[in-house]
């Protein structure tokens, strides 16, 4: 058997002297690219350089997009932590208020209800009578069904206080214990208290309240009728806070940050407003990276560098800030008088000097009378 033939060698085209001279005339970067892809002339080299530029552009766009997504995730993670801390503080405050309300409720005719596992709450009334209720508390004075959210508001309501006063005018805060129930007077007292004034019709007291056609007060943020249980819910407090903030923003616009290179900018079209450093063109993820002034630079390394070169960025930053926080209107200057001088401004009433005190006059002297002697 003959020897097995090996793989055939691929012939390599030898470079011509002209091509070698052309390669030597290129820069080191272009020569490296031409040799890497096998460019033979300037036309092929320009095409490869264009392809390389397109690839770099796409890579930069993908990197910028990923950076923006990372900043967005970090911002929302920070906001979520902030809201979690606020919720924890509210929950702690709510638990403390509930403890105080429970101690007060025991002396004001409120009994606790129990759920025996079937989802129905039962409260023990005076006389060993059990009553089915709609919450874990029941006020025997007002016959109100209560829960943890509405208990404190009910104890502070005027209707409940009137019932307590009727039972014991000398001490409106005392009542029978929850086990024995509140005492009921057998007859009207000898000296009846003065009749309470007739209740005035409900009128809206706050901007977030409105009167319905039935005469009730309605909560605008929640769209519900206002009562003791509604005002005590955490959902009402959150909705009311967001409503008040939106009304203030609608009236005054977004509040401009104190530093002139910061602005409240929409994250995307129609999105929420976030703080952005116009000097560095980056979103503010914390309270220390974008601070300081040109005279006293602070913050991150890049931010300090931009502050030192403030004169280069000043016009661009201020013009960009005016797009998000327009400057207030300025009244026109007074017309100049003849001679090139402007008329002196009239001082405001509170800026004018106080009037001089009147100079006391001497009392008039009585004219002398001549007397004949």
């Amino acid at each position: 058997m003959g020897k097995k033939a090996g793989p055939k060698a691929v012939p390599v085209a030898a470079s011509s002297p002209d091509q070698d001279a052309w390669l030597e005339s290129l820069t080191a970067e272009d020569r490296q690219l031409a040799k890497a892809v096998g460019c033979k002339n300037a036309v092929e080299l320009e095409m490869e350089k264009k392809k390389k530029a397109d690839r770099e552009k796409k890579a930069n766009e993908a990197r910028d997009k990923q950076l923006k997504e990372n900043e967005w995730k970090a911002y929302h993670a920070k906001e979520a932590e902030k809201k979690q801390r606020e919720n924890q503080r509210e929950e702690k405050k709510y638990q403390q208020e509930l403890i105080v309300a429970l101690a007060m409720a025991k002396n004001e005719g409120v009994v606790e209800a129990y759920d025996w596992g079937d989802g129905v709450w039962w409260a023990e009334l005076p006389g060993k009578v059990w009553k089915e209720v709609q919450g874990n508390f029941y006020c025997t004075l007002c016959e109100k069904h209560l829960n943890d959210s509405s208990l404190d508001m009910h104890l502070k309501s005027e209707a409940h206080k009137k019932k307590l006063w009727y039972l014991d005018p000398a001490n409106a805060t005392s009542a029978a214990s929850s086990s024995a129930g509140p005492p009921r007077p057998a007859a009207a007292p000898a000296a009846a208290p003065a009749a309470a004034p007739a209740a005035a019709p409900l009128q809206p007291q706050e901007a977030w309240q409105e009167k319905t056609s039935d005469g009730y007060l309605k909560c605008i943020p929640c769209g519900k009728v206002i009562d003791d249980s509604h005002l005590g819910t955490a959902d009402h407090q959150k909705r009311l806070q967001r409503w008040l903030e939106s009304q203030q923003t609608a009236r005054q616009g977004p509040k401009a940050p104190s530093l002139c290179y910061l602005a409240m900018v929409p994250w995307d079209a129609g999105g929420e407003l976030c703080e952005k450093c116009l000097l560095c063109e980056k979103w503010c993820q914390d309270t220390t990276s974008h601070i300081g002034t040109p005279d006293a630079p602070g913050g991150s390394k890049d931010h300090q560098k931009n502050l030192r070169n403030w004169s280069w960025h000043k016009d661009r930053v201020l013009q960009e800030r005016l797009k998000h926080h327009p400057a207030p209107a300025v009244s026109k200057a007074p017309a100049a008088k003849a001679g090139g001088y402007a008329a002196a401004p009239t001082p405001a009433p509170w800026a004018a000097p106080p009037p001089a005190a009147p100079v006391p006059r001497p009392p008039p002297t009585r004219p002398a009378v001549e007397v004949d002697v």
Side-chain angles (χ1 to χ4, degrees), residues 197-259:
L202 295 177
Q203 297 295 335
Q205 302 295 325
E206 303 290 345
W208 51 272
Q209 300 176 356
E210 65 177 358
K211 188 176 181 181
T212 63
S213 58
D214 300 334
Y216 296 99
L217 285 183
K218 181 181 178 182
C219 176
I220 297 177
C222 304
K224 297 180 180 179
V225 175
I226 298 175
D227 56 14
D228 296 342
S229 60
H230 175 69
L231 296 179
T233 59
D235 184 63
H236 165 73
Q237 301 295 334
K238 294 179 180 179
R239 289 175 181 268
L240 177 59
Q241 182 65 24
R242 289 196 297 266
W243 187 87
L244 293 176
E245 292 176 355
S246 64
Q247 293 297 312
Q248 182 179 3
T249 303
R251 292 192 305 268
Q252 303 176 359
K255 184 178 180 180
S258 58
L259 297 174

Side-chain angles (χ1 to χ4, degrees), residues 132-214:
E132 181 180 349
V133 296
Q134 302 300 322
N136 51 341
F137 295 101
Y138 181 75
C139 180
T140 58
L141 303 183
C142 308
E143 298 182 355
K144 289 283 188 178
H145 303 262
L146 308 172
N147 51 37
D148 292 343
S149 301
S150 59
L151 177 61
D152 184 62
M153 294 299 298
H154 176 73
L155 296 177
K156 297 178 181 178
S157 64
E158 292 297 329
H160 183 75
K161 292 179 180 179
K162 288 180 180 179
K163 294 289 181 65
L164 289 175
W165 181 88
Y166 177 72
L167 290 174
D168 190 358
N171 186 9
T173 60
S174 64
S177 61
S178 59
S179 60
R184 300 290 182 176
L202 295 177
Q203 297 295 335
Q205 302 295 325
E206 303 290 345
W208 51 272
Q209 300 176 356
E210 65 177 358
K211 188 176 181 181
T212 63
S213 58
D214 300 334

